């Protein structure tokens, strides 16, 4: 692999063809970075589990991953519910409806409605309530890395309805290519905040504050 560097900024790279994916002309390069990270993370389970465009899907957490998940799922044809504590975030990405992600009683009232629920958060929630909201053979899929164990008390109910729990990181080069072309076709792009490289410390403070909407891009 060879690269051409100018003032520590890489301008060109030579690599094996199998490792290279063309970015569609319709996608701005500033938007491509978040798509290669968050975009493929949320797109991967849609393809891997052959998600129907008629499915009803919930997205827990509308942040760096969740705001892209809602966009991809809507373009896919799904009815999308945003599970979040922030109503404005659900509006930002045009979710069909919103439910408070920490209101276990409200979630349990949705019994048997969802084909898939994607969790993008890293905190513990009432997972039994979310399992109750799944249809028979429905799937609770983790994209966010939890810092606490997943506690499921009603294992028999999960077995009886053949409900599933799964998780995944990113995706294959083939799925990345599909994701980019799908994003280009449906004008899907991340909501970003831009900082010049000289303000990288400010960018990290913004990120650590949890107030970024929703991905931070450093401009070279």
């Amino acid at each position: 692999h060879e690269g051409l560097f100018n003032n520590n900024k890489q301008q060109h790279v030579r690599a094996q063809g199998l490792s290279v994916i063309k970015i569609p002309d319709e996608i701005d390069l500033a938007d491509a970075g978040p798509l290669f990270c968050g975009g493929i993370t949320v797109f991967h389970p849609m393809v891997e589990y052959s998600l129907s465009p008629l499915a009803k899907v919930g997205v827990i957490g509308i942040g760096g991953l969740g705001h892209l998940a809602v966009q991809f799922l809507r373009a896919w044809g799904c009815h999308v519910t945003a599970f979040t504590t922030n109503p404005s975030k659900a509006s930002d990405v045009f979710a069909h409806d919103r439910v408070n992600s920490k209101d276990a009683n409200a979630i349990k009232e949705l019994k048997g409605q969802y084909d898939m629920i994607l969790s993008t958060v890293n905190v513990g929630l009432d997972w039994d309530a979310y399992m109750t909201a799944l249809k028979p053979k429905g799937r609770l899929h983790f994209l966010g890395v939890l810092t606490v164990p997943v506690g499921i008390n009603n294992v028999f109910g999960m077995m009886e309805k053949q409900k599933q729990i799964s998780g995944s990181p990113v995706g294959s080069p083939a799925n990345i290519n599909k994701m980019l072309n799908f994003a280009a076709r449906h004008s899907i792009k991340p909501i970003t905040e831009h900082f010049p490289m000289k303000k990288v410390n400010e960018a990290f403070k913004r990120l650590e504050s949890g107030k970024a909407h929703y991905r931070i891009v450093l401009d070279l």
Side-chain angles (χ1 to χ4, degrees):
H1 303 280
E2 296 181 5
L4 175 64
F5 293 84
N6 179 19
N7 295 327
N8 296 320
K9 300 174 185 177
Q10 190 165 354
Q11 296 177 323
H12 304 282
V13 64
R14 183 164 64 185
Q16 294 183 2
L18 292 175
S19 302
V20 177
I21 298 171
K22 183 181 184 299
I23 298 174
D25 294 337
E26 297 88 345
I27 295 180
D28 189 297
L29 292 181
D31 294 329
L35 289 175
F36 273 100
C37 181
I40 184 57
T41 299
V42 302
F43 186 80
H44 177 75
M46 296 166 57
V47 176
E48 285 300 299
Y49 299 115
S50 302
L51 184 65
S52 168
L54 302 177
K56 186 171 183 179
V57 184
V59 177
I60 306 172
I62 306 302
L65 291 175
H67 89 284
L68 285 168
V70 174
Q71 293 184 69
F72 275 105
L73 289 164
R74 278 198 59 123
W76 198 260
C78 301
H79 180 101
V80 188
T81 298
F83 289 93
T84 177
T85 56
N86 190 329
S88 65
K89 288 187 175 182
S91 301
D92 283 348
V93 289
F94 304 106
H96 292 98
D97 41 42
R98 181 191 73 89
V99 177
N100 188 321
S101 57
K102 295 184 177 180
D103 188 339
N105 291 328
I107 296 167
K108 288 177 180 177
E109 290 179 2
L110 303 172
K111 181 178 179 179
Q113 293 191 24
Y114 292 89
D115 298 280
M116 179 183 282
I117 296 176
L118 298 176
S119 173
T120 71
V121 300
N122 62 353
V123 296
L125 296 172
D126 188 335
W127 302 115
D128 280 304
Y130 284 102
M131 293 299 291
T132 298
L134 290 171
K135 294 179 180 179
K137 297 187 178 181
R139 179 182 298 274
L140 173 60
H141 189 82
F142 289 95
L143 300 172
V145 179
L146 293 180
T147 57
V148 294
V150 177
I152 301 293
N153 296 312
N154 187 13
V155 176
F156 179 76
M158 175 181 164
M159 295 168 61
E160 181 184 30
K161 301 295 183 181
Q162 299 182 52
K163 297 179 182 181
Q164 303 166 75
I165 298 176
S166 55
S168 61
V170 287
S172 66
N175 279 347
I176 291 174
N177 190 50
K178 291 177 184 177
M179 177 275 299
L180 289 173
N181 284 287
F182 187 83
R185 181 182 303 171
H186 295 281
S187 300
I188 295 171
K189 60 182 182 179
I191 299 173
T192 58
E193 295 181 3
H194 289 253
F195 287 80
M197 185 60 74
K198 64 182 180 181
K199 294 186 177 180
V200 62
N201 291 332
E202 292 181 28
F204 271 106
K205 288 180 180 178
R206 177 71 171 169
L207 180 65
E208 291 169 352
S209 74
K211 297 178 180 179
H213 284 70
Y214 287 97
R215 288 270 171 163
I216 289 178
V217 175
L218 296 173
D219 297 323
L220 297 177

